[in-house]
């Protein structure tokens, strides 16, 4: 947090130039329901560390966690600069009518547009951590069981309700035939013969999302899973094949334990399929050939990228996390959170005297003086500590 001194040029040689990190002011954090502790506390820590006051709005859909956060956090944080607001959609609309110095939102692109529109009325800057359809390309040159283990783990973690989870797989028809038994094996290994009885497989957040996901099960053809139980809001780990691009499961973020496999003829067609769509929050590529992974990375754009791996990049505070384009704007995690909630103020402090030296910059400008000024502006000096 201390001032960061910068190098000067000859023109400012006797001055002190530095960056001061200042709090933005009053920050509004609107957090989601799918990871209601992590996705609330991580940005909150960054905002408080940077010295801001915070209004925190947890998701009303994760009701129990919302209640605990509202009761517990005020016991530990200074209530003169921190408040928890329990609010539904209508109350949140009214909340957004107020002027904040920064808004940090995690949620869907649809709601993200509403947040950004409300912020624009006050010229309030925003971070939007949104979602989207995260592609996962699987090359023919791969070990199908290794790929299946990793894709299954990261797809069905938290019952698929993860914004960076692989949303669909692109592979050749031959690789699909090798992947299917391997994926069935991985699902059985992770969740047992009856996944419904597994303590490691979550449930869908509410009835509305359960019904939405049930509708997506009618897309394509179910190759693995497909079972559901409305009384428990349970949907089995499911793999769909023969899916058409125009079907709903390929038009919206799934956000559930359903994984479509889409066949392509090769790498070029897969890259074309990906780049014709909105930029995703995450993109994955699996291949034994490092050149294939590198080509997917080079020819695409996404918030994050995983080569032969899932979203373990989230575990590193040294890496920024954020979207691009339709999947969001801004970044956080680790020091990036501090940077997001700080204003980097450019400062220059000069000595009050020595005016004779400063007279060189005043008009009238002879050719010699102009040349001297140009030269002194371009000459870099060392940092003054």
């Amino acid at each position: 947090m201390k001032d960061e001194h910068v190098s000067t040029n000859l023109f400012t040689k006797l001055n002190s130039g530095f960056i001061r990190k200042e709090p933005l002011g009053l920050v509004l954090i609107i957090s989601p329901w799918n990871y209601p502790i992590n996705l609330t506390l991580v940005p909150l820590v960054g905002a408080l560390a940077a010295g801001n006051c915070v209004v925190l709005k947890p998701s009303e859909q994760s009701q129990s966690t919302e209640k605990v956060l509202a009761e517990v956090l005020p016991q530990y944080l200074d209530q003169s600069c921190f408040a928890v607001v329990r609010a539904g959609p209508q109350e949140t609309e009214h909340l957004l009518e107020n002027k904040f110095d920064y808004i940090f939102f995690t949620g869907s692109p649809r709601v993200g547009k509403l947040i950004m529109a409300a912020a624009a009325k006050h010229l309030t800057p925003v971070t939007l951590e949104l979602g989207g359809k995260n592609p996962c390309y699987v090359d023919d040159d791969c070990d199908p069981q290794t790929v299946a283990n990793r894709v299954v783990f990261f797809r069905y973690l938290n019952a698929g309700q993860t914004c960076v989870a692989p949303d669909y797989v692109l592979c050749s028809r031959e690789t699909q035939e090798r992947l299917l038994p391997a994926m069935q094996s991985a699902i059985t290994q992770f969740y047992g013969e009856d996944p419904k009885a597994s303590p490691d497989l979550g449930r869908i957040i509410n009835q509305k999302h359960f019904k939405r996901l049930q509708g997506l099960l009618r897309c394509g053809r179910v190759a693995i899973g497909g079972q559901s139980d409305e009384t428990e809001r349970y949907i089995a780990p499911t793999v769909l094949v023969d899916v058409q691009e125009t079907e709903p499961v390929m038009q919206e973020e799934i956000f559930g334990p359903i994984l479509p496999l889409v066949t392509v003829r090769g790498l070029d067609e897969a890259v074309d399929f990906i780049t014709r769509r909105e930029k995703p929050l995450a993109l994955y590529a699996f291949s034994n050939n490092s050149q294939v992974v590198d080509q997917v990375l080079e020819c695409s754009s996404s918030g994050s990228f995983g080569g032969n791996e899932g979203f373990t990049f989230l575990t590193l505070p040294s890496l920024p996390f954020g979207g691009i384009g339709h999947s969001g704007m801004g970044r956080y995690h680790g020091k990036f959170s501090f940077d997001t909630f700080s204003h980097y103020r450019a400062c220059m402090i000069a000595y009050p005297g020595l005016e004779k030296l400063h007279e060189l910059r005043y008009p009238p400008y002879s050719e010699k003086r102009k040349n001297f000024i140009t030269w002194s502006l371009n000459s870099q000096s060392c940092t003054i500590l």
Side-chain angles (χ1 to χ4, degrees), residues 184-309:
Q184 179 63 78
S185 173
I187 290 169
T188 302
Q189 180 187 343
F190 296 166
Y191 305 114
E193 293 291 342
D194 179 15
K196 188 178 177 182
S198 171
D200 300 313
L201 189 65
R203 296 298 187 261
I204 307 307
I205 181 69
N206 57 32
Q207 204 69 17
K208 176 186 172 184
H209 282 285
F210 177 84
K211 286 291 189 185
R212 178 184 63 82
L213 290 166
Q214 261 196 331
L216 297 182
L217 290 173
R218 293 192 286 270
C219 298
R221 174 173 63 85
V222 174
I224 298 172
Q227 301 85 2
S228 63
D229 182 345
E230 188 169 349
T231 60
E232 288 192 25
R233 298 196 305 275
Y234 164 77
I235 293 180
T238 298
V239 178
L240 302 177
V241 296
D242 302 333
V243 174
Q244 302 301 311
E245 286 186 49
T246 53
E247 292 187 275
V249 77
M250 290 304 295
Q251 297 300 311
E252 62 182 72
E253 184 179 7
I254 296 169
F255 226 66
I258 301 169
L259 182 64
L261 303 190
V262 178
T263 57
V264 290
R265 285 188 293 270
L267 176 59
D268 291 341
E269 187 176 330
V271 169
D272 180 64
F273 190 98
I274 293 166
T275 54
R276 281 190 285 113
R277 286 158 175 75
E278 298 283 5
K279 294 179 180 180
L281 185 57
L283 170 59
Y284 305 98
F286 288 86
S287 176
N288 289 334
N289 186 340
S290 61
Q291 291 182 336
V292 170
V293 175
D294 289 342
Q295 187 172 339
V296 177
L297 176 59
E298 290 294 326
C299 297
S300 63
S301 177
S302 61
S304 303
F305 179 82
N308 292 313
E309 181 59 305

Side-chain angles (χ1 to χ4, degrees), residues 81-152:
C81 60
F82 171 80
V84 180
V85 176
R86 299 182 68 180
Q90 277 192 318
E91 294 86 352
T92 304
E93 275 188 49
H94 295 311
L95 183 63
L96 287 165
E97 291 172 3
N98 296 283
K99 184 182 186 303
F100 293 92
D101 296 298
Y102 202 87
I103 298 175
F104 188 102
F105 169 77
T106 304
S108 69
R110 180 187 66 81
V111 179
K113 291 175 183 178
L114 300 176
I115 300 291
M116 194 169 183
K121 293 176 183 177
H122 302 289
L123 294 180
T124 298
V126 297
T127 286
L128 301 177
E129 294 292 343
L130 310 179
K133 298 191 71 62
N134 304 314
C136 176
Y137 175 66
V138 179
D139 188 39
D140 288 343
D141 182 6
C142 72
D143 174 55
Q145 193 59 62
T146 297
V147 173
N149 291 345
R150 297 178 190 183
V151 171
V152 163

